[in-house]
Amino acid sequence: MLRTAIFAMENLLLADNTTITQSINLEHILLGVGIASAIFIPFIFFYVHKTRKKVVSETTKEVQGSKHAAHAEKIKSDIILSAIEDGVIVIGADKVIQVFNGGAANITGWLAEEAENLEYRSVIKLIDGKGVSYTDKQDPFQNVFQSKAGHRDN
């Protein structure tokens, strides 16, 4: 196996017209590259680790800030909904009750804790003036779900 290889050979012309042949040993170059790598790679890893840690920390702070802001908004909404005497019911696209305020509890006789997370038809029984239950065609909630538009019944 060849231990020493000539990497580059260059003839240098000196002022007195003599030439010097300079050879660069591949082992010396590899040794220099190895030393440079040993010095710079830890710095690169340190920088990447520090930058990643900073990004993770900032992201965690943003998430915590968002959670705090969302919680604060929920508290405000709960205060407003509890102050309204009218019944307010929020029904999700899956037809499950998400919000049920005190006014709705007074009207229906259901406690908010019991009504929330139930399918709305099991809590709200709509009947006409004669005491007959609404059909799906008469049900304003069902009309909203089918048409995906608001419904007004004055």
Side-chain angles (χ1 to χ4, degrees):
M1 183 180 223
L2 182 63
R3 284 183 129 310
T4 305
I6 303 297
F7 179 75
M9 194 167 276
E10 188 176 318
N11 289 327
L12 299 176
L13 183 61
L14 299 178
D16 62 354
N17 288 334
T18 59
T19 60
I20 298 176
T21 302
Q22 183 183 36
S23 64
I24 301 172
N25 190 319
L26 183 59
E27 288 177 348
H28 292 122
I29 291 174
L30 292 177
L31 179 64
V33 170
I35 290 172
S37 297
I39 293 171
F40 290 114
I41 288 178
F43 287 115
I44 292 169
F45 281 121
F46 174 74
Y47 176 76
V48 169
H49 176 70
K50 186 176 178 181
T51 303
R52 182 175 176 262
K53 189 175 180 181
K54 182 179 177 184
V55 169
V56 169
S57 176
E58 289 172 1
T59 304
T60 302
K61 287 179 185 175
E62 288 174 11
V63 169
Q64 289 173 345
S66 296
K67 285 181 181 179
H68 179 69
H71 182 68
E73 287 300 315
K74 179 162 179 14
I75 290 172
K76 288 179 192 176
S77 298
D78 290 345
I79 291 169
I80 293 168
L81 287 174
S82 66
I84 298 174
E85 291 183 18
D86 293 332
V88 177
I89 302 170
V90 176
I91 302 170
D94 57 357
K95 301 180 183 177
V96 172
I97 297 172
Q98 297 174 354
V99 176
F100 199 83
N101 78 341
N106 291 336
I107 294 168
T108 63
W110 282 77
L111 295 174
E113 299 82 31
E114 294 174 350
E116 289 176 350
N117 299 317
L118 293 177
E119 205 264 344
Y120 83 92
R121 288 187 214 192
S122 63
V123 176
I124 304 168
K125 303 292 184 199
L126 299 174
I127 55 172
D128 64 16
K130 297 177 185 172
V132 178
S133 294
Y134 276 25
T135 63
D136 280 350
K137 193 172 186 175
Q138 296 170 310
D139 183 346
F141 299 109
Q142 192 62 29
N143 290 336
V144 169
F145 289 122
Q146 287 177 351
S147 68
K148 299 195 186 322
H151 176 79
R152 188 175 185 105
D153 189 17
N154 305 12

